[in-house]
Amino acid sequence: MIKALFRTRFSGLIYHNWFKIIFVFIAGQGAVQFVQLLSGFFLIHWLSVEDYAQYSIAFAFQSTAQVLVELGVSGSVVALVGNRVNDKAVLGKYIKGGKFFRNRMFFVVSVICLIGFPYMTWQHGWPIHITVFLLICILLNLFFSGNTAFYITPLMIHRKLKDIYNIQLTSGVCRLIFLWTVYLLSIINSWIAALTTCLTVFYNGERFRKKSKEFIDEPVESDPETRKEILNYVKPVIPGIIYSAFSAQISLFIIGIFGASENIAEVGALGRLGQIFMIFNMASSTLVVPYLARQSKKHLGRKFLAILGIGLCIALTLITIGFILPEPLLWIMGEKYSHLEGEVGLLILNSSIIFINVLMWDMNCSRKWLWSWIPIVSISSNVLLQALMIFTMDLSTTYSVLIFSVILSIFNLLNKILVTIIGLNKTKNEINLLSEE
């Protein structure tokens, strides 16, 4: 009886802890994302079209460079540490090993930015001092983000979510207040907006580094064995990471090359609007993956179709709203972008297709339908399709770039559908074999 009582209390404690973690995650992540979305939409209103175009290109370079400089190294720490989370020395040596690769990639990626960013801004005739200031902001952000990438990991491993969100929320609110202040003073511009991002990243990284000290024992030098282990882990996924780094910002890069400053600002503003879909993508990875991962093979197809049906209903509803009632979305973006009625519908269409893409990818991952041929076929076919469209389409307008994005998203969706069909057939054959035995 005492044992049963102990088990009951212990189980209750576990459920209480998990409920607390989930609540902190939803509340904290929701608050952080809300402040980020608020800052993004205010910048659309506060910056001139020219300034927002400059800020958007800088943001695209910054986001791409961030992925390239990491190459999945910081994310490998969690997997390689495994169940040795309480061993400070182990956690410290993997962080030091990861920083070894990141520090070297920083110089490589910096050279790419030093060449690519001025080339793109030169095409639009932007002032040299603006280009220089924005380039400095990109490189500073890239440098400072190293602390955030590595020192947030110990806090995540030890479930210090409250500390993480308090830091991010503090910096996010301070950034929003500062932006509002410079807007009231009528001195807000593209490089000031970019500089606030750098300061936010610097603050977050320093706070994460100090908070994580109690969980890690970082050596002075990284050892070769650890570096080799990290490299072997990330090597297979590097091609996919490089491709995703550029594909995530492909619309802005294309319009930056072929379009005018006004078009860049429009694509950037529409991209901010597409971030509203982040909540649906998060729900997919948070709710769908754990559910499908624990399901038996029997009736798996029905459950796949049921979840996909729910996702399609959500997507079709949003697409209908985007084309029939674009006014509320146009109001969010402000008067400067009120003429983008057709473009808003295409943006919602593309975001909805991407949502279904993410949903199907998460469902496939939950069943471990990840075969070696997938990235080879997917990336090579995507690159060929993009090259074909670049050479055959007029990509100098916002509308045409959105059509480009929709075609690419549909093509990616067909890849996901192919993997799902193969996976479900494989599961069906395994069930038939078991029934015959």
Short mmCIF file of all heavy atoms in Angstrom, two decimals, residues 153-187:
data_model
loop_
_atom_site.label_atom_id
_atom_site.label_comp_id
_atom_site.label_asym_id
_atom_site.label_seq_id
_atom_site.Cartn_x
_atom_site.Cartn_y
_atom_site.Cartn_z
N THR A 153 21.81 26.24 -25.22
CA THR A 153 21.65 24.78 -25.19
C THR A 153 21.64 24.21 -23.77
O THR A 153 20.75 23.41 -23.45
CB THR A 153 22.76 24.11 -26.04
OG1 THR A 153 22.70 24.62 -27.37
CG2 THR A 153 22.59 22.61 -26.06
N PRO A 154 22.60 24.55 -22.89
CA PRO A 154 22.54 24.01 -21.52
C PRO A 154 21.25 24.39 -20.79
O PRO A 154 20.72 23.58 -20.01
CB PRO A 154 23.75 24.66 -20.84
CG PRO A 154 24.67 25.02 -21.94
CD PRO A 154 23.80 25.39 -23.09
N LEU A 155 20.74 25.59 -21.05
CA LEU A 155 19.50 26.02 -20.40
C LEU A 155 18.31 25.21 -20.92
O LEU A 155 17.41 24.86 -20.16
CB LEU A 155 19.27 27.51 -20.65
CG LEU A 155 20.36 28.46 -20.14
CD1 LEU A 155 20.04 29.90 -20.49
CD2 LEU A 155 20.53 28.32 -18.63
N MET A 156 18.31 24.90 -22.21
CA MET A 156 17.24 24.09 -22.79
C MET A 156 17.30 22.66 -22.26
O MET A 156 16.28 22.06 -21.94
CB MET A 156 17.33 24.11 -24.31
CG MET A 156 17.01 25.45 -24.93
SD MET A 156 17.19 25.45 -26.73
CE MET A 156 15.90 24.31 -27.20
N ILE A 157 18.51 22.12 -22.20
CA ILE A 157 18.68 20.74 -21.72
C ILE A 157 18.18 20.59 -20.30
O ILE A 157 17.54 19.60 -19.94
CB ILE A 157 20.17 20.31 -21.83
CG1 ILE A 157 20.56 20.11 -23.29
CG2 ILE A 157 20.43 19.04 -21.03
CD1 ILE A 157 22.03 19.82 -23.50
N HIS A 158 18.46 21.59 -19.47
CA HIS A 158 18.06 21.55 -18.06
C HIS A 158 16.70 22.20 -17.83
O HIS A 158 16.33 22.49 -16.69
CB HIS A 158 19.13 22.21 -17.19
CG HIS A 158 20.39 21.42 -17.09
ND1 HIS A 158 20.56 20.37 -16.20
CD2 HIS A 158 21.55 21.49 -17.80
CE1 HIS A 158 21.77 19.85 -16.35
NE2 HIS A 158 22.39 20.51 -17.31
N ARG A 159 15.98 22.44 -18.92
CA ARG A 159 14.60 22.92 -18.89
C ARG A 159 14.45 24.25 -18.15
O ARG A 159 13.46 24.48 -17.44
CB ARG A 159 13.68 21.87 -18.26
CG ARG A 159 13.61 20.58 -19.05
CD ARG A 159 12.79 19.54 -18.32
NE ARG A 159 12.80 18.27 -19.02
CZ ARG A 159 12.31 17.14 -18.50
NH1 ARG A 159 11.77 17.15 -17.30
NH2 ARG A 159 12.34 16.02 -19.19
N LYS A 160 15.41 25.12 -18.33
CA LYS A 160 15.33 26.45 -17.73
C LYS A 160 14.60 27.40 -18.71
O LYS A 160 15.12 28.44 -19.11
CB LYS A 160 16.73 26.97 -17.41
CG LYS A 160 17.50 26.13 -16.41
CD LYS A 160 16.82 26.13 -15.05
CE LYS A 160 17.57 25.30 -14.03
NZ LYS A 160 16.90 25.30 -12.70
N LEU A 161 13.40 26.98 -19.08
CA LEU A 161 12.65 27.73 -20.09
C LEU A 161 12.27 29.12 -19.59
O LEU A 161 12.26 30.09 -20.36
CB LEU A 161 11.39 26.96 -20.48
CG LEU A 161 11.60 25.58 -21.12
CD1 LEU A 161 10.26 24.97 -21.49
CD2 LEU A 161 12.49 25.69 -22.35
N LYS A 162 11.97 29.21 -18.29
CA LYS A 162 11.58 30.51 -17.74
C LYS A 162 12.71 31.52 -17.88
O LYS A 162 12.48 32.68 -18.24
CB LYS A 162 11.19 30.34 -16.27
CG LYS A 162 10.55 31.57 -15.66
CD LYS A 162 10.09 31.30 -14.24
CE LYS A 162 9.45 32.55 -13.63
NZ LYS A 162 9.03 32.31 -12.23
N ASP A 163 13.93 31.07 -17.60
CA ASP A 163 15.09 31.96 -17.75
C ASP A 163 15.28 32.40 -19.20
O ASP A 163 15.55 33.57 -19.49
CB ASP A 163 16.37 31.27 -17.26
CG ASP A 163 16.39 31.07 -15.76
OD1 ASP A 163 15.72 31.85 -15.06
OD2 ASP A 163 17.07 30.15 -15.28
N ILE A 164 15.13 31.44 -20.12
CA ILE A 164 15.29 31.73 -21.55
C ILE A 164 14.29 32.78 -22.00
O ILE A 164 14.64 33.78 -22.63
CB ILE A 164 15.14 30.45 -22.39
CG1 ILE A 164 16.30 29.48 -22.11
CG2 ILE A 164 15.08 30.79 -23.88
CD1 ILE A 164 16.12 28.12 -22.76
N TYR A 165 13.02 32.56 -21.66
CA TYR A 165 11.97 33.47 -22.13
C TYR A 165 12.04 34.83 -21.45
O TYR A 165 11.71 35.85 -22.06
CB TYR A 165 10.60 32.84 -21.95
CG TYR A 165 10.40 31.61 -22.79
CD1 TYR A 165 9.82 30.45 -22.28
CD2 TYR A 165 10.80 31.60 -24.12
CE1 TYR A 165 9.65 29.33 -23.07
CE2 TYR A 165 10.64 30.47 -24.91
CZ TYR A 165 10.06 29.34 -24.37
OH TYR A 165 9.90 28.23 -25.15
N ASN A 166 12.46 34.86 -20.18
CA ASN A 166 12.62 36.15 -19.49
C ASN A 166 13.68 37.01 -20.19
O ASN A 166 13.50 38.22 -20.37
CB ASN A 166 13.02 35.93 -18.03
CG ASN A 166 11.84 35.59 -17.15
OD1 ASN A 166 10.70 35.90 -17.50
ND2 ASN A 166 12.08 34.96 -16.02
N ILE A 167 14.78 36.37 -20.57
CA ILE A 167 15.86 37.08 -21.26
C ILE A 167 15.38 37.59 -22.62
O ILE A 167 15.56 38.75 -22.98
CB ILE A 167 17.09 36.17 -21.43
CG1 ILE A 167 17.72 35.89 -20.06
CG2 ILE A 167 18.12 36.79 -22.37
CD1 ILE A 167 18.78 34.79 -20.08
N GLN A 168 14.76 36.70 -23.40
CA GLN A 168 14.30 37.07 -24.75
C GLN A 168 13.20 38.12 -24.70
O GLN A 168 13.16 39.03 -25.55
CB GLN A 168 13.82 35.82 -25.49
CG GLN A 168 14.94 34.84 -25.82
CD GLN A 168 14.43 33.58 -26.49
OE1 GLN A 168 13.29 33.16 -26.29
NE2 GLN A 168 15.27 32.96 -27.29
N LEU A 169 12.32 38.00 -23.72
CA LEU A 169 11.21 38.95 -23.61
C LEU A 169 11.72 40.33 -23.18
O LEU A 169 11.27 41.36 -23.71
CB LEU A 169 10.18 38.43 -22.60
CG LEU A 169 8.77 39.02 -22.67
CD1 LEU A 169 8.19 38.84 -24.06
CD2 LEU A 169 7.87 38.37 -21.63
N THR A 170 12.68 40.35 -22.27
CA THR A 170 13.26 41.62 -21.82
C THR A 170 13.92 42.36 -22.99
O THR A 170 13.67 43.55 -23.21
CB THR A 170 14.31 41.38 -20.72
OG1 THR A 170 13.69 40.74 -19.61
CG2 THR A 170 14.93 42.69 -20.26
N SER A 171 14.75 41.65 -23.75
CA SER A 171 15.43 42.28 -24.88
C SER A 171 14.45 42.68 -25.97
O SER A 171 14.59 43.75 -26.59
CB SER A 171 16.50 41.34 -25.45
OG SER A 171 15.91 40.14 -25.95
N GLY A 172 13.42 41.85 -26.20
CA GLY A 172 12.43 42.16 -27.22
C GLY A 172 11.62 43.40 -26.90
O GLY A 172 11.39 44.25 -27.77
N VAL A 173 11.20 43.53 -25.65
CA VAL A 173 10.42 44.70 -25.23
C VAL A 173 11.27 45.96 -25.27
O VAL A 173 10.83 47.01 -25.72
CB VAL A 173 9.84 44.48 -23.81
CG1 VAL A 173 9.22 45.77 -23.27
CG2 VAL A 173 8.79 43.37 -23.82
N CYS A 174 12.54 45.84 -24.80
CA CYS A 174 13.44 47.00 -24.84
C CYS A 174 13.69 47.45 -26.28
O CYS A 174 13.74 48.66 -26.56
CB CYS A 174 14.77 46.64 -24.17
SG CYS A 174 14.67 46.50 -22.38
N ARG A 175 13.84 46.50 -27.18
CA ARG A 175 14.03 46.84 -28.60
C ARG A 175 12.81 47.57 -29.15
O ARG A 175 12.94 48.58 -29.86
CB ARG A 175 14.29 45.59 -29.42
CG ARG A 175 14.44 45.84 -30.92
CD ARG A 175 14.80 44.56 -31.67
NE ARG A 175 14.99 44.83 -33.10
CZ ARG A 175 14.11 44.53 -34.04
NH1 ARG A 175 12.98 43.91 -33.72
NH2 ARG A 175 14.37 44.80 -35.31
N LEU A 176 11.63 47.07 -28.80
CA LEU A 176 10.39 47.69 -29.28
C LEU A 176 10.26 49.12 -28.75
O LEU A 176 9.89 50.04 -29.50
CB LEU A 176 9.19 46.85 -28.84
CG LEU A 176 7.79 47.31 -29.27
CD1 LEU A 176 7.72 47.42 -30.79
CD2 LEU A 176 6.73 46.36 -28.76
N ILE A 177 10.58 49.32 -27.47
CA ILE A 177 10.51 50.67 -26.87
C ILE A 177 11.51 51.61 -27.55
O ILE A 177 11.18 52.77 -27.85
CB ILE A 177 10.76 50.60 -25.35
CG1 ILE A 177 9.61 49.86 -24.66
CG2 ILE A 177 10.92 52.00 -24.76
CD1 ILE A 177 9.86 49.56 -23.19
N PHE A 178 12.72 51.11 -27.80
CA PHE A 178 13.74 51.93 -28.46
C PHE A 178 13.31 52.32 -29.87
O PHE A 178 13.46 53.48 -30.28
CB PHE A 178 15.08 51.19 -28.50
CG PHE A 178 16.18 51.97 -29.15
CD1 PHE A 178 16.86 52.95 -28.46
CD2 PHE A 178 16.52 51.73 -30.48
CE1 PHE A 178 17.87 53.68 -29.06
CE2 PHE A 178 17.53 52.46 -31.10
CZ PHE A 178 18.21 53.44 -30.38
N LEU A 179 12.77 51.36 -30.62
CA LEU A 179 12.31 51.64 -31.98
C LEU A 179 11.18 52.67 -31.96
O LEU A 179 11.13 53.58 -32.81
CB LEU A 179 11.83 50.35 -32.66
CG LEU A 179 12.91 49.35 -33.06
CD1 LEU A 179 12.28 48.04 -33.50
CD2 LEU A 179 13.79 49.91 -34.18
N TRP A 180 10.29 52.55 -31.01
CA TRP A 180 9.19 53.50 -30.87
C TRP A 180 9.71 54.90 -30.57
O TRP A 180 9.22 55.89 -31.11
CB TRP A 180 8.24 53.02 -29.78
CG TRP A 180 7.07 53.95 -29.53
CD1 TRP A 180 6.09 54.29 -30.42
CD2 TRP A 180 6.80 54.65 -28.32
NE1 TRP A 180 5.19 55.15 -29.83
CE2 TRP A 180 5.60 55.39 -28.54
CE3 TRP A 180 7.40 54.70 -27.07
CZ2 TRP A 180 5.03 56.20 -27.55
CZ3 TRP A 180 6.84 55.49 -26.08
CH2 TRP A 180 5.66 56.24 -26.32
N THR A 181 10.75 54.96 -29.73
CA THR A 181 11.34 56.25 -29.35
C THR A 181 11.98 56.95 -30.55
O THR A 181 11.74 58.14 -30.80
CB THR A 181 12.40 56.07 -28.25
OG1 THR A 181 11.80 55.41 -27.12
CG2 THR A 181 12.96 57.41 -27.80
N VAL A 182 12.80 56.20 -31.32
CA VAL A 182 13.45 56.82 -32.48
C VAL A 182 12.44 57.15 -33.57
O VAL A 182 12.65 58.08 -34.36
CB VAL A 182 14.59 55.92 -33.04
CG1 VAL A 182 15.72 55.80 -32.04
CG2 VAL A 182 14.07 54.54 -33.44
N TYR A 183 11.33 56.42 -33.60
CA TYR A 183 10.26 56.75 -34.54
C TYR A 183 9.62 58.10 -34.16
O TYR A 183 9.39 58.95 -35.03
CB TYR A 183 9.20 55.65 -34.56
CG TYR A 183 7.90 56.05 -35.22
CD1 TYR A 183 7.83 56.24 -36.60
CD2 TYR A 183 6.76 56.27 -34.45
CE1 TYR A 183 6.63 56.63 -37.20
CE2 TYR A 183 5.56 56.66 -35.04
CZ TYR A 183 5.51 56.84 -36.42
OH TYR A 183 4.33 57.23 -37.01
N LEU A 184 9.35 58.29 -32.86
CA LEU A 184 8.77 59.55 -32.39
C LEU A 184 9.70 60.71 -32.64
O LEU A 184 9.26 61.85 -32.89
CB LEU A 184 8.43 59.45 -30.90
CG LEU A 184 7.30 58.49 -30.50
CD1 LEU A 184 7.13 58.48 -28.99
CD2 LEU A 184 5.98 58.90 -31.17
N LEU A 185 11.01 60.44 -32.58
CA LEU A 185 12.00 61.48 -32.83
C LEU A 185 12.26 61.69 -34.32
O LEU A 185 13.07 62.54 -34.71
CB LEU A 185 13.32 61.13 -32.12
CG LEU A 185 13.28 61.09 -30.58
CD1 LEU A 185 14.59 60.54 -30.03
CD2 LEU A 185 12.99 62.49 -30.02
N SER A 186 11.58 60.88 -35.15
CA SER A 186 11.70 60.95 -36.62
C SER A 186 13.13 60.72 -37.12
O SER A 186 13.57 61.32 -38.10
CB SER A 186 11.21 62.33 -37.13
OG SER A 186 9.86 62.53 -36.79
N ILE A 187 13.85 59.83 -36.42
CA ILE A 187 15.21 59.51 -36.86
C ILE A 187 15.36 58.01 -37.17
O ILE A 187 16.47 57.53 -37.38
CB ILE A 187 16.26 59.92 -35.80
CG1 ILE A 187 15.97 59.23 -34.45
CG2 ILE A 187 16.33 61.43 -35.64
CD1 ILE A 187 17.05 59.45 -33.41
#
